[in-house]
Amino acid sequence: MKPVNVGICGLGTVGGGTLNVLIRNADEISRRAGRDILVSHIGMRNYKEGYDLSGVKVSADIFEVAKNPDVDVLVELIGGYEVALELVMTAIDHGKHVVTANKALIAEHGNEIFAAAHKKGVMIAFEAAVAGGIPIIKAIREGFSGNQINWLAGIINGTGNFILTEMRDKGRAFDDVLKEAQQLGYAEADPTFDVEGIDAAQKLCILSSIAFGIPLQFDRVYTQGISDITQKDVKYAEELGYRIKHLGIARRRNGGIELRVHPALIHKDQLLANVNGVMNAVMVHGDAVGPTLYYGAGAGSEPTASAVVADIVDVVRSLASSSDSRVPHLAFQPDKLSDVSILPIDETECGYYLRMEVLDQPGVMAKIAQILGEKDISIEAIIQKEPQIEGGEVSLILLTRKVLEKKMNSAIDAIESLDSTWGKVMKIRVEYLK
Ligand code: HSE
């Protein structure tokens, strides 16, 4: 059978990895796909040394790839928003299937891209957009078809996880670890996307859509990064038997769906608490299957290429099938997406870790306990640290049981307004993953 021609736009970390994997494993890939897969055209702004590109057309204008009538599948690996969107829309317009690793593009423009692809009868595959090499899109979209998904929670930003792991294990400073993640090629071009939770929010937005059959709603994801986490909090969490992880959580509740990205304490015995370094992991809970866990490299050249190539093979296999018999982009038929609302963060329910700096005087603890008691907030554990100087301030650390976020916030306001409390209360949510 005639080989399938692939055009790759962008020959950076992931593009280079994709080319290498397609060449190195060509025979195995062809045995799986049922056809040979050839890279026939590459679009890259600057010529890259180190690749054997004999027989491959190379263009500095990536749009030439999208318009090339000989290209069957366009692989978009340039990243970013505007140009990538224009490129993908051009490819769709020219009847090409698209494979992309671009989470920002799917999270923010996926609804319009899928609508255009549906009209044209082409596929958009985006496994590599979430959790790098872990086949989490396929697992949720196809493996959970019989389930009502209750919740999912994941460590979906490798850079953030690397920083938190190094802070805990080696006591390293935040900036120093971030620099190393950048050198290793894990961090985004703008690393604030990693540390402020935007990268994780884009990935969570995609996961929640395929889990619950809702349109992509990036602007509804509550997003908080890890830049406020201090060595103190990492250490005190450890003393309480917990670890701080940066989580993306999507949970179905009565009245709506919680969609949030933030640091969270997880008990050290939980599997997710033991996912370290740049590794990613996602737990998915279905009503029939119960809890499941997926673990692997969430970034890097060939791990991400692994997902890109799997998508290319999927596209190739389905070339002969009619477009309405394919797996829908968001797992559910496009006309059956639900308009269930996304709950505001105030309506979230979880436990809380609170750290406050208070005067070391009689009655202070009683006042704080009274405020919490009046709001019906139950305390699970307390640690009080020695003052640095006699009669000075002490750190008071509390763990509370589950409570609505708005109740917790009003208790924190009351605690912060006490004369005996200094500055702001540090609040970190506690997740039980149940
Ligand atoms: N910057 C991302 C991370 C890369 O650190 O996980 C993969 O999306």
Side-chain angles (χ1 to χ4, degrees):
M1 214 190 266
K2 191 174 149 289
V4 173
N5 287 330
V6 169
I8 299 179
C9 291
L11 205 62
T13 309
V14 181
T18 300
L19 185 63
N20 287 339
V21 171
L22 280 172
I23 292 169
R24 189 175 72 236
N25 296 340
D27 290 346
E28 286 288 89
I29 292 168
S30 158
R31 285 208 299 141
R32 288 187 166 109
R35 293 176 66 176
D36 286 345
I37 296 173
L38 293 182
V39 176
S40 61
H41 196 167
I42 291 181
M44 53 178 168
R45 296 235 160 95
N46 303 307
Y47 194 81
K48 294 239 168 48
E49 301 286 332
Y51 295 102
D52 177 9
L53 298 180
S54 43
V56 180
K57 183 172 178 191
V58 178
S59 303
D61 177 4
I62 51 174
F63 286 86
E64 279 184 17
V65 184
K67 294 174 188 165
N68 181 346
D70 296 330
V71 167
D72 304 298
V73 184
L74 179 126
V75 181
E76 182 278 303
L77 300 173
I78 60 168
Y81 301 86
E82 284 88 14
V83 181
L85 177 60
E86 204 187 328
L87 179 73
V88 166
M89 287 306 208
T90 307
I92 293 170
D93 229 30
H94 284 75
K96 297 188 196 321
H97 304 277
V98 174
V99 173
T100 177
N102 192 332
K103 60 237 151 178
L105 181 71
I106 297 298
E108 301 209 23
H109 299 290
N111 297 323
E112 57 181 294
I113 292 173
F114 298 148
H118 190 66
K119 250 196 202 154
K120 269 281 185 185
V122 295
M123 288 174 73
I124 310 294
F126 50 95
E127 180 65 69
V130 182
I134 308 174
I136 189 65
I137 303 281
K138 200 170 191 69
I140 298 177
R141 197 162 56 181
E142 297 173 47
F144 274 75
S145 295
N147 285 261
Q148 171 137 271
I149 295 180
N150 295 321
W151 56 265
L152 62 87
I155 295 172
I156 46 181
N157 180 265
T159 302
N161 200 39
F162 182 56
I163 293 173
L164 290 174
T165 305
E166 293 285 302
M167 282 173 78
R168 191 193 81 224
D169 288 355
K170 301 181 187 153
R172 288 177 67 189
F174 189 97
D175 290 339
D176 173 39
V177 192
L178 175 59
K179 232 175 250 156
E180 190 181 339
Q182 284 175 289
Q183 281 156 7
L184 292 169
Y186 298 126
E188 295 301 300
D190 176 354
T192 55
F193 275 50
D194 295 299
V195 296
E196 298 309 340
I198 300 154
D199 175 81
Q202 289 164 341
K203 293 167 181 168
L204 183 72
C205 162
I206 298 171
L207 289 181
S208 64
S209 286
I210 57 169
F212 302 124
I214 54 175
L216 294 149
Q217 297 164 77
F218 175 66
D219 55 348
R220 302 302 311 274
V221 183
Y222 171 81
T223 306
Q224 185 191 339
I226 57 168
S227 53
D228 289 340
I229 301 294
T230 66
Q231 275 294 347
K232 260 188 184 176
D233 299 309
V234 171
K235 200 170 116 247
Y236 296 155
E238 194 83 9
E239 283 179 33
L240 289 159
Y242 289 79
R243 299 209 172 130
I244 301 180
K245 292 289 176 189
H246 191 229
L247 291 186
I249 299 162
R251 186 188 296 275
R252 193 196 291 271
R253 289 241 321 267
N254 281 343
I257 288 171
E258 289 180 10
L259 216 47
R260 49 196 169 92
V261 164
H262 53 74
L265 267 72
I266 318 177
H267 197 271
K268 65 176 175 23
D269 294 340
Q270 287 276 355
L271 290 169
L272 275 189
N274 294 285
V275 172
N276 293 319
V278 290
M279 300 308 275
N280 281 197
V282 183
M283 272 184 94
V284 187
H285 190 285
D287 68 338
V289 68
T292 62
L293 178 70
Y294 310 85
Y295 169 88
S301 175
E302 291 210 357
T304 313
S306 161
V308 171
V309 173
D311 270 351
I312 297 173
V313 171
D314 260 1
V315 170
V316 170
R317 282 186 185 134
S318 68
L319 285 177
S321 60
S322 73
S323 61
D324 45 4
S325 64
R326 293 179 190 143
V327 180
H329 292 117
L330 291 178
F332 294 71
Q333 297 300 330
D335 59 342
K336 298 286 179 204
L337 294 185
S338 151
D339 60 0
V340 59
S341 62
I342 308 299
L343 294 169
I345 192 68
D346 262 7
E347 300 298 328
T348 298
E349 214 181 26
C350 40
Y352 291 88
Y353 159 102
L354 306 177
R355 174 176 55 79
M356 52 203 86
E357 307 302 319
V358 298
L359 281 183
D360 187 21
Q361 281 174 354
V364 172
M365 181 89 88
K367 277 188 205 153
I368 292 165
Q370 190 186 351
I371 291 173
L372 294 172
E374 278 167 2
K375 308 230 178 253
D376 223 14
I377 300 173
S378 183
I379 300 171
E380 189 168 300
I382 302 184
I383 308 180
Q384 184 185 318
K385 292 289 161 188
E386 292 290 304
Q388 301 288 334
I389 46 164
E390 205 179 324
E393 71 204 60
V394 292
S395 292
L396 192 63
I397 299 103
L398 297 173
L399 271 193
T400 76
R401 298 242 160 83
K402 256 185 163 184
V403 55
L404 263 188
E405 176 117 349
K406 62 182 166 203
K407 254 194 191 180
M408 190 75 249
N409 286 343
S410 86
I412 289 174
D413 285 347
I415 292 171
E416 283 175 348
S417 63
L418 291 175
D419 290 341
S420 47
T421 310
W422 295 69
K424 290 275 179 205
V425 172
M426 176 65 162
K427 171 186 85 181
I428 309 177
R429 298 172 187 87
V430 181
E431 281 303 323
Y432 301 102
L433 304 173
K434 287 192 181 131

